[in-house]
Amino acid sequence: LLQGPAPFGDSPLSVMAAGMLAEVAGAAIRLPMEVSKLRLQLGAYRNTWHAFKDLVVNPGQLMRGFVPQTLMHDCSYSACGWFIFESGRQWLFSMRGSSNLPVHENLLLGFGTGTLTALV
């Protein structure tokens, strides 16, 4: 059985943990931007500079929904997606006998992963 490179190790748990850590890192940047954008659209801030000053002065106010949203939904979604993607990738490597996947197979694998993750 020929396996391709497993960047997160051989364990499914390591793949899921890597997906969860990536989600937490991304959410730490994305969430304050999304909250600021929403508040700008609703008129809570006068302009972008006002939103930026509020973020610097009150960073916790923008991160209020970070733990429940990120840990309960986003991390589980990301862990599931990475598990499905890496499992499918390793299966394709073993079926083809090669650790190289053409672009169209990577695209189809990503499409299938997104579809299955959304259904789960």
Side-chain angles (χ1 to χ4, degrees):
L1 182 68
L2 178 65
Q3 287 193 338
F8 307 114
D10 294 332
S11 166
L13 290 177
S14 64
V15 171
M16 294 169 72
M20 292 171 70
L21 287 173
E23 189 61 45
V24 168
I29 295 169
R30 184 180 62 245
L31 187 67
M33 289 179 8
E34 289 294 321
V35 171
S36 295
K37 180 180 77 172
L38 182 62
R39 290 181 182 174
L40 272 166
Q41 291 171 342
L42 292 174
Y45 296 134
R46 295 183 300 276
N47 52 37
T48 305
W49 181 247
H50 183 221
F52 178 74
K53 286 193 307 189
D54 189 45
L55 173 63
V56 171
V57 173
N58 302 315
Q61 184 181 22
L62 294 176
M63 300 297 280
R64 195 174 315 156
F66 182 76
V67 172
Q69 172 68 27
T70 300
L71 294 182
M72 301 304 288
H73 176 267
D74 297 347
C75 282
S76 59
Y77 182 84
S78 186
C80 183
W82 275 102
F83 175 74
I84 292 170
F85 180 81
E86 281 297 319
S87 298
R89 194 171 79 102
Q90 294 302 321
W91 179 77
L92 283 172
F93 288 153
S94 68
M95 294 298 292
R96 298 187 85 232
S98 170
S99 63
N100 293 323
L101 294 179
V103 172
H104 71 279
E105 287 183 358
N106 272 313
L107 288 172
L108 287 172
L109 180 59
F111 175 78
T113 297
T115 302
L116 284 173
T117 306
L119 292 174
V120 173

